[in-house]
Amino acid sequence: SQQGEEDPQALSIQEGENATMNCSYKTSINNLQWYRQNSGRGLVHLILIRSNEREKHSGRLRVTLDTSKKSSSLLITASRAADTASYFCATDTDTGRRALTFGSGTRLQVQP
Amino acid sequence: DAGITQSPRHKVTETGTPVTLRCHQTENHRYMYWYRQDPGHGLRLIHYSYGVKDTDKGEVSDGYSVSRSKTEDFLLTLESATSSQTSVYFCATRGGQGAPANDSPLHFGNGTRLTVT
């Protein structure tokens, strides 16, 4: 079963605008991670937020986590055409496999 | 990720034939994973390995087997391919030589696109 569900499934914005993607999950987590995937490539780690953190920043990325609502959001500020990609949230639960459970992703299109 | 190589990158095969996908890493990571990616499903875990000769099932393991004879290599085998196994397959590694830290990311290869006709 999918742990994370992203919203929206697709998002189209103009360069310079902000992009916000949301992720909801079902069970308690150790941390939540966001990944980016360019067309035809593997996923690349963007940012991690621990379960005891509420907000984290990295460059133009801002991630929030609300464990009471089991949700997270990824904000990309001042978007660029190069930000066009799919974005996935992934949750890390306390299991021995140390695997991440991924959502279905948000496809972001940034128009130049 | 420069340290993870998947081969082949593309493969077309017929229903009922065996297929083996290879993942090679130079990171010396102990944990390795096979995921499949399908539209609307995100990535789903097929099998994972927590060391040489140590493997276990993920959520969608039916019809797949894996082997890990060396730290560097993790093989995924479809014993008798079916059309439902048409997908993009990703290998990933995590952590160091021991169990991955809770705040460590996954590192992915660039995937193998498999089409079963």
Side-chain angles (χ1 to χ4, degrees):
Chain A
S1 61
Q2 275 179 259
Q3 168 76 314
E5 296 287 344
E6 272 108 327
D7 169 57
Q9 291 187 338
L11 181 61
S12 182
I13 60 174
Q14 297 295 125
E15 243 182 350
E17 295 180 338
N18 295 341
T20 299
M21 289 159 266
N22 303 296
C23 169
S24 61
Y25 58 91
K26 298 174 184 173
T27 64
S28 61
I29 60 173
N30 287 327
N31 62 66
L32 186 143
Q33 304 184 23
W34 285 90
Y35 287 78
R36 168 194 168 123
Q37 183 182 34
N38 288 82
S39 181
R41 304 299 296 270
L43 281 72
V44 175
H45 179 258
L46 292 176
I47 192 167
L48 177 149
I49 186 164
R50 296 181 179 83
S51 60
N52 61 354
E53 297 175 315
R54 292 297 168 258
E55 187 171 313
K56 201 160 183 181
H57 296 257
S58 176
R60 293 184 296 114
L61 303 180
R62 172 179 168 247
V63 171
T64 61
L65 179 64
D66 187 334
T67 53
S68 66
K69 295 181 180 178
K70 291 187 171 57
S71 67
S72 174
S73 67
L74 172 68
L75 169 67
I76 303 174
T77 60
S79 63
R80 306 165 181 168
D83 293 329
T84 294
S86 292
Y87 293 82
F88 295 86
C89 69
T91 52
D92 189 352
T93 57
D94 190 13
T95 63
R97 62 181 60 175
R98 298 286 201 268
L100 301 184
T101 303
F102 287 83
S104 53
T106 293
R107 282 180 286 107
L108 174 64
Q109 178 77 38
V110 182
Q111 307 285 354
Chain B
D1 195 315
I4 300 171
T5 305
Q6 292 187 233
S7 59
R9 288 297 315 277
H10 302 271
K11 185 169 183 66
V12 179
T13 191
E14 293 183 350
T15 299
T17 60
V19 177
T20 295
L21 309 183
R22 180 176 184 249
C23 176
H24 179 80
Q25 60 139 333
T26 59
E27 307 292 328
N28 202 29
H29 286 170
R30 180 178 159 194
Y31 278 64
M32 297 186 73
Y33 307 87
W34 278 106
Y35 286 89
R36 60 178 288 174
Q37 184 176 33
D38 304 288
H41 289 278
L43 279 79
R44 292 179 290 175
L45 182 66
I46 305 171
H47 280 280
Y48 70 101
S49 170
Y50 50 97
V52 174
K53 294 188 179 2
D54 292 323
T55 65
D56 206 348
K57 296 178 181 180
E59 280 75 38
V60 291
S61 60
D62 287 349
Y64 302 95
S65 63
V66 291
S67 65
R68 185 143 177 231
S69 59
K70 301 187 289 185
T71 298
E72 312 89 89
D73 294 325
F74 192 29
L75 304 181
L76 176 70
T77 297
L78 292 66
E79 300 291 347
S80 177
T82 67
S83 59
S84 65
Q85 293 175 312
T86 292
S87 187
V88 181
Y89 291 86
F90 286 97
C91 173
T93 70
R94 191 178 190 191
Q97 296 180 28
N102 282 343
D103 58 357
S104 60
L106 287 178
H107 303 267
F108 283 86
N110 282 324
T112 293
R113 182 173 295 276
L114 176 68
T115 302
V116 183
T117 61

